[in-house]
């Protein structure tokens, strides 16, 4: 099902999708980034999947239509190869709670964080 309206709210970093049946789904840029359908993230098979960490502050910088079936999202971390079909966006919205819980479990298991890393040695007391 194709959304009838797509809005990105930069302050909350949420993509708002409105559907013909009146349903509305809001998905964070972080969620969309870590669930990118790109081969860079998903790989070409399940064993090639790359867990995405440090994406809490990522933003959507551009939304480009791809024919009548999808959008390409460009993110502030340089990732721009994911093409989000209408079906995939609806799947992400419908399964948000399950997907997010699984993502947090994977991060914990891998001892990773949603936060970006800060290189050691770059912080000074003046940075407070």
């Amino acid at each position: 099902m194709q959304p009838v309206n797509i809005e990105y709210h930069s302050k909350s970093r949420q993509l708002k999708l409105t559907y013909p049946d009146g349903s509305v789904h809001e998905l964070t840029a972080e969620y969309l980034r870590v669930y990118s359908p790109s081969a860079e993230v998903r790989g070409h098979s399940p064993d090639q999947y790359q867990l995405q960490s440090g994406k809490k502050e990522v933003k959507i910088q551009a939304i480009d239509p791809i024919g009548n079936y999808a959008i390409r999202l460009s993110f502030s971390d340089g990732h721009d190869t994911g093409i989000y079909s209408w079906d995939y966006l609806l799947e992400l919205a419908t399964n948000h709670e399950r997907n997010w819980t699984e993502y947090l479990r994977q991060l914990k298991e891998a001892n990773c964080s949603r936060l970006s890393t800060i290189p050691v040695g770059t912080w000074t007391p003046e940075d407070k």
Side-chain angles (χ1 to χ4, degrees):
M1 176 168 40
Q2 182 174 352
V4 294
N5 193 42
I6 299 172
E7 299 173 42
Y8 179 63
H9 300 274
S10 58
K11 189 172 184 174
S12 65
R13 295 189 303 272
Q14 292 199 1
L15 188 69
K16 181 179 178 182
L17 306 165
T18 305
Y19 290 92
D21 64 0
S23 63
V24 176
H25 298 282
E26 293 185 16
L27 305 173
T28 65
E30 178 187 14
Y31 177 65
L32 291 163
R33 174 61 179 87
V34 301
Y35 276 95
S36 171
S38 71
E40 178 185 326
V41 174
R42 297 281 164 241
H44 295 287
S45 64
D47 63 319
Q48 293 178 339
Y49 167 74
Q50 296 292 312
L51 179 63
Q52 303 296 298
S53 63
K55 304 300 180 190
K56 185 175 182 178
E57 300 300 323
V58 75
K59 298 174 179 79
I60 295 173
Q61 292 185 314
I63 302 171
D64 299 307
I66 304 294
N68 291 321
Y69 69 94
I71 56 176
R72 178 189 347 258
L73 300 178
S74 298
F75 295 91
S76 58
D77 66 352
H79 181 73
D80 65 358
T81 58
I83 295 177
Y84 296 75
S85 70
W86 304 137
D87 289 343
Y88 187 61
L89 284 169
L90 187 57
E91 179 186 319
L92 287 176
T94 303
N95 298 309
H96 181 272
E97 186 175 338
R98 180 175 49 100
N99 289 345
W100 192 248
T101 299
E102 174 61 15
Y103 173 65
L104 295 177
R105 185 197 64 74
Q106 289 175 0
L107 282 177
K108 185 175 182 179
E109 186 176 284
N111 197 29
C112 293
S113 173
R114 293 173 54 210
L115 300 173
S116 311
T117 57
I118 301 171
V120 176
T122 61
W123 182 86
T124 65
E126 295 82 37
D127 292 333
K128 282 202 248 180

